[in-house]
Amino acid sequence: MIDFKEIIAKKINNIVNLDETNIYNNLEIPPKQDMGDYAFPCFVLSKELKKSPQIIAEEIKDKIELDKNISEIKVVGGYLNFYLNKEYFIKNVLNEMAEKNENYGSSNIGNGKNIVIDYSSPNIAKPFHIGHLRSTVIGNSIYKIYKYLGYNCIGINHIGDWGTQFGKLIEGYKRWGNEYNIEENPIDELTKIYIRINNLCKEDESVLEDCRNNFKKLEDGDEYCVNLWKKFKELSLKEFERIYDLLDVHFDSYNGEAFYSDKMQEVVDILERKGLLVESEGAKVVDLSEQGMIPCIIEKSNGSTTYATRDLAAIMYRAREYDFNKAIYLTSYEQILHFKQIFEVAKMLDLDEKYTSNLIHAPFGMVQLKTGKMSTREGTIVKLEDLLNESITRVKAIIENKNPNLENKEEIAKQVGIGAVIFNDLYNNRIKDEVFDWDIMLNFNGETGPYMQYIYVRTKSILEKAGYIPKIEDVDFDLLNNDTAYKIIKLIYSFQDTIIQAAEKYEPYIIARYLINLAQSFSTFYNENKILGEEKKVQDTRVYLTYAVGNVLKIGASLLGIKMPDRM
Ligand code: ARG
């Protein structure tokens, strides 16, 4: 598609002594549509030219020739406001739509480069909680966004399946395994065992010693311990899999922490060889005081490795295995320090700078219930599977109430219920704490997933009633030259840019907000214009616009990991 910004930047560049990229990056979108399509702030030139921005603007304006791209230039204050030739612009956008259809907005700027995305990553034998939901949903969306831009994505579920807690679980199971039905309800039951053994450890030092021995045995490959660990892991994963199925999220690798158990020695050796491991209260640590951080613990005083060491081994492995262009990690902001530390220590390993300078932690905020923060101790932790199912049930009730004869109710309730939860999760800046409120997320008129789906369904039903998708040759671009339609066309034009921005900032919310904007703009258009039953040319043009909007909504939703129902 034509980059109109580039055309304008070139024109200005021909006149002034400022390089094109610089001009390009300074071009703004005016706050109001009647102020034009792009604006160039001439302040950036006033220092060099020693003239007022207003005068510079006038001078540039006089020298730029209008052409098929640009129909008008106005000077407002120190700004040069550019008005695109609307008809030519509309024609370009819709021709691109007709050419790319369901691939509209895609690109190959990624050029097949490898992007490793570490997301979801729940812990074995512990609940999959709402924090893991955020990681799953945001990571999945980033995966899809990068893929759409032509990158090769590798989605990794870095399962928490290693550490001293498994020595405890094994001990608890050895003692009371037959009292708990872990096959039926693995995570709940294993959690109970874990709490019970922990309490016993507090009372009796020797039990704690047994637990430590179990983990040592597990690390040494003892058959009994390894088999039990495998069983805990399989049962837990089966439970997680139910959630991934509901969300339709998949991974390319489930190499979790245990996978690195035999790969950590290398990390220790390198740090040791470089003299970077220092003793501190019996533990081996890397001093990070120069970087203004507390030390990174590599080996605990009892000789066992840490979460950090496993992450360091994982960085080395991923660099070699995937030759990544970027490695992105999604966890809550509680782990900001952890990632800062390991990214620093990674620079001390024998890794190419192209890897260590492309490690990215994209943190996100916590989830709060309307009634306050979730806490394990207060019993206000919500189990994710229950929450997803509750959303589906609530949507089912709404459908029963509003549209009881709808076909395929179950499937649609699932798409809308799950979509609502995902959308709610992606509608804000990652770092913002999220409030979980059913009334807000399931409001069909709000800035929500169901609203976006509802507008999409509307476009579908218009197309169905029309019975055809018009050929692009039958579209009269001039008929779309009015404020409401032009706003939609401009949004459609900026779709790819929106996707690129979301990728650059690791912020799916940029797409989510865009989609609401597009849905609302279409709703206005729909209220103002009759689409079907008009003179043929008018109908063709409006139906085509309807098709284009529906198409972008569907692609955008899929980049968020949300499915669109055909009816609702
Ligand atoms: N299992 C961790 C947790 O639940 C998240 C792991 C994130 N990924 C990583 N490579 N550290 O908090």
Side-chain angles (χ1 to χ4, degrees):
M1 181 125 64
I2 297 181
D3 186 348
F4 289 92
K5 233 170 121 173
E6 193 182 304
I7 290 178
I8 294 171
K10 277 211 169 81
K11 282 184 187 292
I12 300 176
N13 172 255
N14 283 337
I15 298 165
V16 302
N17 179 24
L18 192 63
D19 77 89
E20 199 187 308
T21 339
N22 198 342
I23 300 173
Y24 187 96
N25 292 334
N26 272 300
L27 280 172
E28 298 172 12
I29 310 268
K32 285 201 209 110
Q33 198 161 294
D34 61 7
M35 294 168 77
D37 300 290
Y38 295 100
F40 181 70
C42 295
F43 314 97
V44 294
L45 291 167
S46 50
K47 205 172 165 194
E48 195 195 314
L49 299 177
K50 300 195 178 67
K51 285 180 198 165
S52 79
Q54 173 92 25
I55 291 175
I56 297 171
E58 296 287 357
E59 285 176 1
I60 301 178
K61 183 189 164 212
D62 289 341
K63 288 189 189 138
I64 294 184
E65 270 174 45
L66 301 178
D67 60 10
K68 64 175 192 295
N69 299 297
I70 292 155
S71 61
E72 198 185 350
I73 304 172
K74 278 189 195 163
V75 174
V76 180
Y79 282 90
L80 267 174
N81 288 358
F82 292 85
Y83 293 76
L84 296 178
N85 174 346
K86 290 201 173 64
E87 221 186 305
Y88 183 70
F89 175 74
I90 295 167
K91 184 173 136 196
N92 263 286
V93 175
L94 293 186
N95 274 330
E96 172 88 4
M97 176 65 65
E99 210 171 283
K100 290 186 99 181
N101 293 303
E102 67 280 3
N103 294 317
Y104 182 80
S106 66
S107 129
N108 45 25
I109 51 171
N111 214 350
K113 279 183 255 170
N114 296 328
I115 306 288
V116 167
I117 307 166
D118 178 317
Y119 61 114
S120 195
S121 310
N123 304 314
I124 298 301
K126 288 200 190 145
F128 190 116
H129 58 70
I130 202 150
H132 295 123
L133 167 76
R134 292 216 73 187
S135 176
T136 309
V137 164
I138 299 171
N140 185 48
S141 176
I142 288 178
Y143 186 105
K144 299 203 159 171
I145 291 169
Y146 271 87
K147 198 165 167 204
Y148 206 57
L149 295 175
Y151 290 89
N152 176 43
C153 297
I154 301 111
I156 301 181
N157 195 337
H158 188 78
I159 298 276
D161 56 1
W162 207 244
T164 42
Q165 72 270 29
F166 289 96
K168 288 184 175 169
L169 261 183
I170 290 169
E171 190 57 34
Y173 188 82
K174 201 150 77 181
R175 289 165 184 255
W176 319 296
N178 54 2
E179 295 173 38
Y180 296 85
N181 189 350
I182 71 164
E183 312 277 338
E184 183 78 10
N185 215 346
I187 294 187
D188 283 351
E189 298 297 282
L190 287 169
T191 308
K192 282 183 202 155
I193 296 178
Y194 188 66
I195 293 173
R196 187 166 165 191
I197 190 74
N198 252 326
N199 287 334
L200 192 60
C201 283
K202 275 180 213 143
E203 285 165 24
D204 188 342
E205 252 314 294
S206 71
V207 181
L208 189 61
E209 202 43 50
D210 292 340
C211 295
R212 285 197 186 120
N213 282 335
N214 287 337
F215 184 58
K216 181 91 189 68
K217 281 196 214 154
L218 180 62
E219 284 192 299
D220 294 342
D222 171 85
E223 204 181 313
Y224 174 80
C225 290
V226 169
N227 283 340
L228 261 189
W229 170 80
K230 272 194 184 147
K231 181 169 167 164
F232 298 155
K233 182 167 169 175
E234 261 161 41
L235 290 169
S236 303
L237 281 179
K238 228 160 96 189
E239 204 170 321
F240 297 154
E241 215 52 53
R242 288 209 302 271
I243 295 169
Y244 295 137
D245 277 349
L246 274 173
L247 294 168
D248 196 19
V249 168
H250 309 277
F251 301 91
D252 301 301
S253 162
Y254 274 87
N255 285 340
E257 295 187 39
F259 178 77
Y260 299 100
S261 57
D262 62 354
K263 298 175 180 61
M264 285 180 281
Q265 194 54 46
E266 191 183 0
V267 174
V268 179
D269 289 347
I270 296 172
L271 293 171
E272 200 121 69
R273 170 162 55 76
K274 294 192 166 175
L276 293 167
L277 275 190
V278 288
E279 290 265 329
S280 166
E281 296 168 36
K284 288 182 181 166
V285 308
V286 175
D287 177 64
L288 293 173
S289 53
E290 235 170 71
Q291 290 83 352
M293 283 181 263
I294 54 168
C296 181
I297 304 176
I298 300 295
E299 223 176 81
K300 291 191 205 162
S301 52
N302 64 8
S304 62
T305 53
T306 64
Y307 179 52
T309 327
R310 292 188 277 281
D311 257 330
L312 288 164
I315 292 173
M316 296 197 79
Y317 178 83
R318 290 169 188 178
R320 286 175 190 145
E321 181 73 13
Y322 304 116
D323 183 28
F324 61 78
N325 189 252
K326 257 180 201 189
I328 307 167
Y329 296 79
L330 293 134
T331 76
S332 85
Y333 56 59
E334 291 172 310
Q335 297 195 32
I336 286 180
L337 177 61
H338 165 76
F339 284 104
K340 272 197 176 147
Q341 288 182 305
I342 62 161
F343 292 172
E344 280 304 325
V345 178
K347 291 185 199 155
M348 304 169 186
L349 302 172
D350 296 329
L351 278 174
D352 197 297
E353 204 234 68
K354 73 174 176 181
Y355 301 122
T356 53
S357 60
N358 284 301
L359 298 166
I360 293 137
H361 180 223
F364 51 78
M366 310 300 263
V367 182
Q368 304 199 353
L369 296 175
K370 219 165 125 189
T371 44
K373 205 180 157 178
M374 282 187 221
S375 124
T376 330
R377 240 179 297 143
E378 324 249 314
T380 49
I381 281 274
V382 175
K383 262 187 81 182
L384 188 61
E385 198 178 357
D386 296 346
L387 183 140
L388 293 174
N389 284 320
E390 179 167 353
S391 189
I392 298 173
T393 311
R394 282 175 183 255
V395 172
K396 242 187 252 170
I398 298 173
I399 295 177
E400 260 343 310
N401 183 13
K402 288 194 176 156
N403 193 359
N405 298 322
L406 183 69
E407 268 173 53
N408 210 0
K409 270 187 268 192
E410 296 288 319
E411 185 57 26
I412 292 170
K414 193 175 153 192
Q415 291 170 339
V416 178
I418 299 291
V421 175
I422 297 179
F423 194 89
N424 181 60
D425 211 325
L426 297 179
Y427 197 55
N428 287 303
N429 214 303
R430 273 191 335 258
I431 204 70
K432 220 177 134 188
D433 282 347
E434 173 187 326
V435 180
F436 202 90
D437 181 341
W438 290 117
D439 295 333
I440 292 176
M441 38 201 266
L442 293 178
N443 179 352
F444 281 57
N445 293 313
E447 295 171 5
T448 63
Y451 171 74
M452 173 186 78
Q453 289 168 321
Y454 172 71
I455 297 294
Y456 171 75
V457 165
R458 203 164 241 202
T459 66
K460 274 300 239 195
S461 90
I462 294 168
L463 294 182
E464 208 166 286
K465 275 193 203 127
Y468 68 104
I469 294 171
K471 287 213 247 354
I472 190 74
E473 296 78 38
D474 294 331
V475 175
D476 183 346
F477 303 114
D478 203 27
L479 287 172
L480 297 171
N481 195 345
N482 57 70
D483 283 355
T484 322
Y486 190 62
K487 179 164 183 214
I488 295 176
I489 301 282
K490 277 188 79 171
L491 278 170
I492 294 177
Y493 175 68
S494 66
F495 186 46
Q496 187 176 72
D497 220 34
T498 306
I499 303 172
I500 292 173
Q501 269 188 54
E504 279 171 356
K505 299 192 171 124
Y506 319 106
E507 286 284 18
Y509 90 90
I510 295 174
I511 295 177
R513 301 245 157 194
Y514 167 92
L515 293 173
I516 290 298
N517 197 351
L518 181 63
Q520 287 171 342
S521 306
F522 181 74
S523 174
T524 308
F525 177 81
Y526 177 85
N527 291 332
E528 287 175 3
N529 297 283
K530 208 166 136 210
I531 296 180
L532 300 174
E534 289 286 303
E535 177 203 336
K536 173 100 170 63
K537 216 167 157 193
V538 176
Q539 168 161 323
D540 282 353
T541 302
R542 292 183 182 164
V543 172
Y544 195 84
L545 188 69
T546 305
Y547 158 74
V549 169
N551 194 28
V552 173
L553 286 177
K554 185 163 186 175
I555 297 168
S558 81
L559 295 178
L560 302 180
I562 296 176
K563 299 218 167 62
M564 289 296 207
D566 284 337
R567 288 160 204 279
M568 67 195 267

